[in-house]
Amino acid sequence: MSYSTADPLRAVTLDDVRGAQKMLSGVARATAMEGSRHLSQRVGAPVHLKCENLQRTGSFKLRGAYVRIAGLLPEERAAGVVAASAGNHAQGVALASSLLGVRSTVFMPKGAPLPKISATRDYGAEVRLHGQVVDETLAAATEYACGTGAVFIHPFDHPDVIAGQGTVGLEILEQCPGVRTIVVGVGGGGLAAGIAVAVKAVRPDVRIVGVQAAGAAAYPPSLAAGRPVSVRNPVTMADGIRVGRPGDVPFGIVGELVDEVVTVTEDELSAALLLCLERAKLVVEPAGASPVAALLSRPGEFEGPVVAVLSGGNVDPVLMERVLRHGMAAQGRYLAVRLRLTDRPGALASLLGTLSVVDANVLDVSHVRTDPRLGLTEAEVELHLETKGPAHCTEVGQALRDAGYTVMD
C-alpha cells in the first residue's frame, strides 16, 4: 500500500486501514482500553479510555509514520526521510525509520523539551534544531527535502498516515463492540479522520466527536467555510493539537464523517490532565487529555458507551508541574493570595496562625518589606496555599479579612 506517486487527495478506505493493521502487526501495540468509574459517574454513561499514551514512543504517531515509510519505493527509502515536529511525530518517524532500516533526519524547534529531543535521538534519528516555532522548523525540513531528495513525512496530511492512525478505530471496535460515541483530539485531523474511516464503514451509527483547544481551533471555522482556513498564532498548552490549519486530506474526511468538533479551554485541559493522573493513574499530555476535558465540560451530552482516545503521554516534566498547578487552581485546590500587614515582630507568625486555623497548607511565602508602594510600617506578603476546593478558598479569604488583613486583588 503506497500513495507515494498517487493523487495525495485520494480517499482513504476501510481496506486501506485493514491493510495498515496487518502491516503494523508486531510493530505497534494494540493498546489497552481501561474503564473509568469516575468519568462514567460524571458523564452518566459507561466511559472507557483508549490508552495510546501507552503506545510505543508514547503516542499514536508511530502507526501512521510506520505505514507511510513502509510504503515508500526502494529508491525513496534509499534517499532517506525527513520530518519536522516538536515531539510525538518526531519520535514516531525516528522509531519507524529505524525499524525499517531507513535513514531519518528530524528538524525540531530550538525550544523543544529536552526529553523529547533526547528520545528522538535515542530512536535513531539525526536531530537538527532550527527555528523557534514549528512553522520555521517545517520550512527548514522542506528545504532539506528539496536539497537532498529525502522524502518528507507529513504528520497528518497523507493517506498512508491516515490509514495508519485509523487502526486505532479498528481496535476500539474490537475492544468495545457496543461503543456509541468516540471522542478524539483534533490537531491537523489525521487521527480523527483515520478513526472515522474505520469506524463509520463498519458502524455508521457511532457518533464521532472531535475536540480542539479553543486557542487553536482551526476546524470549526474551516468546516463553516467549507475549506481549510488558517488560525493565526494558535496558542494552547496542548502542543500535540496546536495546528494552525487543517490538512487537506483529513479535512475532507472529517467534514464528511466526523459528527461534531467541539472546543475546550485551558482550564478544562488542566483539570482533565489532573483527573487522568489522580483517578485513572495515567500520565497523559494535554492534547491526549482533550477528550476527557470535553466529557467533563459537557456531561450528559454523550451517549454511552463512550470511548475517549488518550492520544499521547509525552509531557515535559516542567510543563507537567505547571499544568498540574494550573489544574489544581482551576479546581479550587491551589490559591495565591497577596496581602498587606503591619511590619512588626511576630506579624508573619500571626498571619500563618490565621491560616492554620482554617486548615490552609502554606506551600510558599514571599515577604517584601522594602518597596516604594508600601508605607513606612507596611509589609507585603504573597502566599501560595494548598486548599480543598472553591468553598475552602472562600473560607480562607474571609478568615483573612475577618482578621484585619488587606487582601490585594
Side-chain angles (χ1 to χ4, degrees):
M1 178 180 61
S2 174
Y3 301 100
S4 301
T5 57
D7 180 358
L9 295 180
R10 174 179 171 178
V12 183
T13 68
L14 176 61
D15 285 342
D16 295 327
V17 181
R18 286 176 171 161
Q21 188 176 46
K22 291 179 181 178
M23 188 180 294
L24 288 167
S25 177
V27 176
R29 297 187 180 115
T31 52
M33 185 171 298
E34 301 287 343
S36 173
R37 185 175 301 174
H38 180 75
L39 275 173
S40 298
Q41 292 173 344
R42 296 281 292 270
V43 172
V47 175
H48 305 277
L49 305 175
K50 177 59 173 169
C51 301
E52 282 297 290
N53 58 311
L54 303 180
Q55 183 58 262
R56 297 178 70 179
T57 75
S59 87
F60 71 95
K61 289 288 190 178
L62 171 65
R63 298 174 184 261
Y66 187 91
V67 173
R68 172 75 171 103
I69 297 169
L72 295 178
L73 301 173
E75 57 269 28
E76 291 175 319
R77 290 198 189 195
V81 299
V82 60
S85 169
N88 289 349
H89 181 57
Q91 294 173 66
V93 168
L95 179 57
S97 299
S98 294
L99 293 172
L100 292 164
V102 176
R103 184 178 69 257
S104 64
T105 303
V106 176
F107 285 77
M108 303 182 76
K110 292 179 180 179
L114 292 178
K116 294 186 177 182
I117 295 173
S118 177
T120 303
R121 286 183 174 137
D122 288 345
Y123 287 128
E126 177 189 348
V127 175
R128 300 192 180 190
L129 302 179
H130 185 92
Q132 299 299 328
V133 296
V134 174
D135 286 345
E136 295 172 353
T137 308
L138 178 61
T142 303
E143 182 179 352
Y144 177 89
C146 293
T148 65
V151 178
F152 179 71
I153 306 300
H154 200 284
F156 50 81
D157 206 11
H158 194 281
D160 281 0
V161 173
I162 294 170
Q165 320 304 28
T167 59
V168 175
L170 294 181
E171 290 177 17
I172 290 173
L173 293 177
E174 293 167 2
Q175 294 169 318
C176 185
V179 61
R180 297 294 300 169
T181 307
I182 297 173
V183 189
V184 56
V186 178
L191 178 60
I195 289 175
V197 167
V199 172
K200 290 289 190 177
V202 180
R203 289 278 310 282
D205 59 305
V206 174
R207 181 173 176 238
I208 299 178
V209 179
V211 185
Q212 292 208 289
Y219 263 91
S222 296
L223 292 170
R227 57 180 175 80
V229 298
S230 298
V231 172
R232 287 189 176 184
N233 302 318
V235 177
T236 174
M237 71 176 81
D239 58 338
I241 54 175
R242 188 173 60 221
V243 178
R245 182 186 183 278
D248 292 326
V249 182
F251 175 77
I253 298 171
V254 169
E256 180 181 354
L257 298 179
V258 172
D259 296 278
E260 184 180 8
V261 178
V262 301
T263 62
V264 292
T265 67
E266 299 299 284
D267 283 351
E268 290 164 348
L269 285 168
S270 297
L273 188 149
L274 185 61
L275 183 144
C276 288
L277 186 63
E278 288 190 328
R279 304 306 294 261
K281 315 306 178 189
L282 292 169
V283 176
V284 182
E285 61 190 88
S290 59
V292 175
L295 295 180
L296 293 175
S297 63
R298 295 167 174 80
E301 293 186 14
F302 301 92
E303 182 182 359
V306 180
V307 173
V309 182
L310 308 182
S311 58
N314 292 317
V315 57
D316 180 26
V318 175
L319 176 62
M320 172 70 88
E321 181 181 7
R322 290 170 49 204
V323 171
L324 289 179
R325 183 164 289 190
H326 188 79
M328 290 176 67
Q331 291 187 351
R333 295 169 53 190
Y334 177 85
L335 179 65
V337 179
R338 186 166 56 92
L339 50 82
R340 290 185 181 179
L341 46 75
T342 303
D343 187 14
R344 58 176 176 76
L348 183 58
S350 296
L351 169 61
L352 298 179
T354 300
L355 294 170
S356 177
V357 170
V358 291
D359 203 22
N361 186 33
V362 179
L363 301 175
D364 191 26
V365 178
S366 175
H367 191 197
V368 178
R369 304 173 71 182
T370 305
D371 190 295
R373 299 171 301 165
L374 298 175
L376 184 62
T377 61
E378 287 184 319
E380 186 171 287
V381 175
E382 183 173 343
L383 299 158
H384 292 183
L385 309 172
E386 184 179 5
T387 48
K388 301 175 182 178
H392 191 210
C393 290
T394 301
E395 180 186 356
V396 170
Q398 190 59 52
L400 291 171
R401 292 182 180 90
D402 290 346
Y405 295 106
T406 302
V407 180
M408 313 298 292
D409 293 330

